[in-house]
Amino acid sequence: MMPTDFQIVELGDPRLRELAKPVHAEQMAYAQEVAEAMAYWMKERGGVGIAAPQIGVSLQMMIIASRPNNRYPDAPEMEPMLMLNPEPKTFSDRLVSLWEGCLSVPGVRGKVTRPDAVGVEYMDQSGQSRLIELKGFPARIFLHEYDHLIGKTFVDRVASVQDLVTDKVYFEQILST
Ligand SMILES: [Zn+2]
């Protein structure tokens, strides 16, 4: 399959509401094709993360790819990390509110409060189980992408609809202040 055989799924599509299924060992060849399509679309749309349900695949897969950006100039530049069957295990008590965007919710931003750090158990593409502690922007990306695996998007996480704004307002009025 080609990456463009998959398409970005947007808010309102029921596939964004499903609980994604675990990736099994015998699916690894298909999972690799899905991962390539995820990486393609993440790059094509300039995202810092993507989850398989966002290209219409109900599997527990995500890529996180932090890099410095205008909201988080100190964000670490990391090699894109593919995580299969990720499970958040521990959360920091410290919470942070940040504006998020999403490839599946074009043109809209939302201010979302989440833990600043998360400990994650996941499987890498060789089938190896791994543990990682994510802090700051990579933790933020992980928690956003994990929501896609449980049928949620950032619009479910805002405290109030007042915390939803358009990109135009975000870039012209919020980011500049
Ligand atoms: Zn998203």
Side-chain angles (χ1 to χ4, degrees):
M1 287 177 88
M2 300 288 290
T4 47
D5 291 336
F6 300 86
Q7 294 290 317
I8 294 281
V9 171
E10 296 188 355
L11 184 66
D13 190 306
R15 289 174 290 178
L16 284 181
R17 293 299 181 192
E18 290 175 11
L19 286 180
K21 296 171 192 68
V23 180
H24 295 295
E26 64 273 21
Q27 289 176 296
M28 289 302 268
Y30 176 63
Q32 188 58 43
E33 291 190 43
V34 172
E36 281 167 25
M38 289 164 63
Y40 170 86
W41 283 109
M42 182 180 71
K43 194 170 177 207
E44 212 266 341
R45 297 292 165 89
V48 291
I50 192 167
Q54 292 185 274
I55 58 166
V57 176
S58 186
L59 285 175
Q60 295 174 13
M61 301 174 59
M62 69 165 76
I63 297 174
I64 64 174
S66 168
R67 61 173 189 271
N69 59 79
N70 52 14
R71 290 177 296 149
Y72 236 108
D74 299 327
E77 177 104 47
M78 59 188 278
E79 279 296 308
M81 183 187 293
L82 174 64
M83 298 173 131
L84 308 177
N85 305 338
E87 285 283 344
K89 295 291 185 184
T90 57
F91 301 94
S92 63
D93 291 331
R94 190 174 118 85
L95 302 176
V96 179
S97 291
L98 266 187
W99 292 93
E100 297 184 8
C102 179
L103 304 182
S104 296
V105 190
V108 178
R109 307 257 159 187
K111 190 167 70 178
V112 181
T113 302
R114 300 187 190 272
D116 182 50
V118 59
V120 179
E121 186 174 354
Y122 69 100
M123 190 171 80
D124 70 16
Q125 55 198 318
S126 67
Q128 183 84 30
S129 179
R130 295 188 177 275
L131 289 167
I132 191 170
E133 178 78 11
L134 299 168
K135 291 193 178 70
F137 196 53
R140 170 65 53 150
I141 299 169
F142 173 85
L143 291 166
H144 175 112
E145 303 310 338
Y146 184 75
D147 271 353
H148 285 303
L149 305 184
I150 58 172
K152 294 194 180 299
T153 65
F154 76 79
V155 297
D156 302 307
R157 297 295 192 193
V158 296
S160 143
V161 288
Q162 314 272 2
D163 292 330
L164 292 171
V165 302
T166 64
D167 271 349
K168 179 177 159 71
V169 170
Y170 175 75
F171 285 109
E172 292 180 2
Q173 298 177 31
I174 294 173
L175 195 60
S176 59
T177 57

